Amino acid sequence: MAQQAYVTGTDNGGSGPERREPAPGRLKARLERFVGGWRGDPRIWRRGLVAAALAVILALVMLLHAQIPNALGNLGSLTETFLPWLGLFVPVLLLLALLRRSATALIAVLVPAIVWLNLFGGQLTDKTGAGGDLTVATHNVNADNADPSGTARDVAASGADVVALEELTASAVPTYEKALASTYKYHSVQGTVGLWSKYPLGDVQPVNIELGWIRAMRGTVATPAGQVAVYVAHLPSVRVKLEAGFTARQRDKSADALGEAIAHEPLQKVVLLGDLNGTMNDRALNAVTAQMRSTQGASGSGMGFSWPASFPMARIDQIMVKGIEPVSSWTLPETGSDHLPVAARVKVDTSSS
């Protein structure tokens, strides 16, 4: 016997699938419920006092970082080295304030946010300009670099007119000289630092930074726009140790000696290239930073972190100028080193500025 199939239709009032509100509507409803939970709740001002206190402390650390003493493990310099990263605590505190539904904490979180933006907000904008008459680059090539010739080619490919290299080993120097010879006619290596130039190089001499061996040098580059004194420096490394904190005494001493040498430089136009093992915020470099401008700070885009190359967290490789106008500044792609190379375009002839 044939069977007849019946299909039962359902209308809007039947037992069909329940209609779901569109996603934007659901989001709006949840937001209204969340905000509504704050209304009329007298505890929103009493909750989250711990989060509010942490926000104020964070703001004070960033605002008064120069007052943190170095007497205990160079804590002040350590804080200043990684100062921009303190901003990561702001969204954490914001989330905590929202979870606690605390109006007091929300308002308090605004304080460190404003302080951070005041300190570093300008570095988030692109200040790169056009023009310039000299391109310079510096790179700590790493003594353990397994591909020095490739590293040299990468740096030369930047188009820099003047290149400084740090952490050169005696065995690797011939490799760098050979790889850079076709691009740079003039060069000099002093100790573990070297200077390569497309323009004539003279008055080359080591700079005493009170180490007992040579890790800094000075030379005069005869650019088409005029003579420029170029300093190359590799300040001593710093270490973070549990028993001693941020050990940087020798670095600080060498920074003072380098600053003294630059202060007595007879030429008016000066460029400093090198690994200073410190950031522009670090008070220990005041002898240098007080008299020179960072090209990254003046004409870069972003923070320009250069170390470590695998995950840059600080800009310890610096290009600074005196009597010269920065035009643009940037980091170069990763090489075989644990540092990123950094480069800058500057204007030596500032007579028309």
Side-chain angles (χ1 to χ4, degrees):
M1 179 184 294
Q3 291 183 335
Q4 186 174 1
Y6 293 90
V7 178
T8 303
T10 59
D11 57 18
N12 291 339
S15 57
E18 181 183 351
R19 280 189 175 184
R20 290 192 176 183
E21 197 174 358
R26 292 200 305 273
L27 180 61
K28 181 180 179 182
R30 288 175 181 173
L31 184 60
E32 288 176 348
R33 286 198 300 271
F34 179 78
V35 174
W38 293 58
R39 293 175 185 155
D41 182 357
R43 294 180 300 169
I44 63 174
W45 298 104
R46 298 197 295 268
R47 284 194 299 259
L49 295 183
V50 172
L54 290 174
V56 173
I57 292 172
L58 178 62
L60 289 174
V61 169
M62 291 190 290
L63 189 62
L64 304 175
H65 62 86
Q67 308 305 318
I68 299 175
N70 262 340
L72 182 61
N74 269 10
L75 184 60
S77 285
L78 177 60
T79 302
E80 289 165 339
T81 297
F82 299 103
L83 194 61
W85 292 95
L86 293 182
L88 292 178
F89 289 106
V90 172
V92 174
L93 291 171
L94 175 61
L95 179 60
L96 183 58
L98 290 172
L99 291 175
R100 291 288 293 150
R101 294 189 177 187
S102 169
T104 302
L106 277 177
I107 294 173
V109 169
L110 289 175
V111 180
I114 293 171
V115 172
W116 191 93
L117 287 172
N118 182 60
L119 290 173
F120 303 107
Q123 295 185 35
L124 301 180
T125 60
D126 187 353
K127 299 178 290 298
T128 301
D133 46 33
L134 182 71
T135 301
V136 297
T138 180
H139 190 24
N140 179 325
V141 296
N142 188 357
D144 297 322
N145 193 322
D147 184 21
S149 59
T151 295
R153 288 193 299 270
D154 289 343
V155 175
S158 69
D161 303 306
V162 176
V163 170
L165 300 182
E166 304 88 48
E167 209 166 296
L168 296 169
T169 62
S171 59
V173 166
T175 303
Y176 287 107
E177 290 176 330
K178 181 179 179 181
L180 296 172
S182 61
T183 306
Y184 301 96
K185 185 177 179 180
Y186 310 94
H187 88 279
S188 175
V189 174
Q190 303 286 321
T192 61
V193 296
L195 184 61
W196 278 259
S197 173
K198 294 180 179 179
Y199 306 123
L201 183 61
D203 300 329
V204 176
Q205 56 187 298
V207 175
N208 180 14
I209 55 174
E210 301 185 11
L211 279 175
W213 67 96
I214 300 173
R215 283 180 41 150
M217 64 178 290
R218 176 228 181 263
T220 299
V221 178
T223 77
Q227 287 198 327
V228 177
V230 179
Y231 284 76
V232 183
H234 183 195
L235 297 187
S237 299
V238 297
R239 298 286 185 268
V240 180
K241 302 177 181 178
L242 284 176
E243 72 277 8
F246 192 65
T247 58
R249 183 175 302 173
Q250 186 58 64
R251 189 278 310 268
D252 299 351
K253 183 179 178 182
S254 292
D256 290 342
L258 178 62
E260 185 74 11
I262 294 173
H264 288 89
E265 168 58 47
L267 293 181
Q268 298 299 309
K269 300 182 182 297
V270 185
V271 174
L272 170 61
L273 307 169
D275 173 7
L276 302 190
N277 271 305
T279 67
M280 293 296 294
N281 295 313
D282 192 338
R283 74 193 70 171
L285 301 185
N286 280 351
V288 176
T289 58
Q291 57 180 318
M292 306 191 80
R293 297 177 69 191
S294 163
T295 58
Q296 181 66 27
S299 61
S301 176
M303 297 293 185
F305 295 150
S306 64
W307 176 89
S310 57
F311 187 82
M313 296 183 65
R315 186 180 179 89
I316 62 176
D317 301 276
Q318 306 289 354
I319 299 177
M320 299 185 204
V321 295
K322 181 179 180 181
I324 291 173
E325 188 66 28
V327 174
S328 59
S329 189
W330 63 97
T331 56
L332 297 171
E334 187 175 356
T335 69
S337 172
D338 57 340
H339 292 244
L340 293 179
V342 297
R345 182 78 174 164
V346 300
K347 188 174 183 180
V348 176
D349 182 5
T350 57
S351 58
S352 59
S353 297

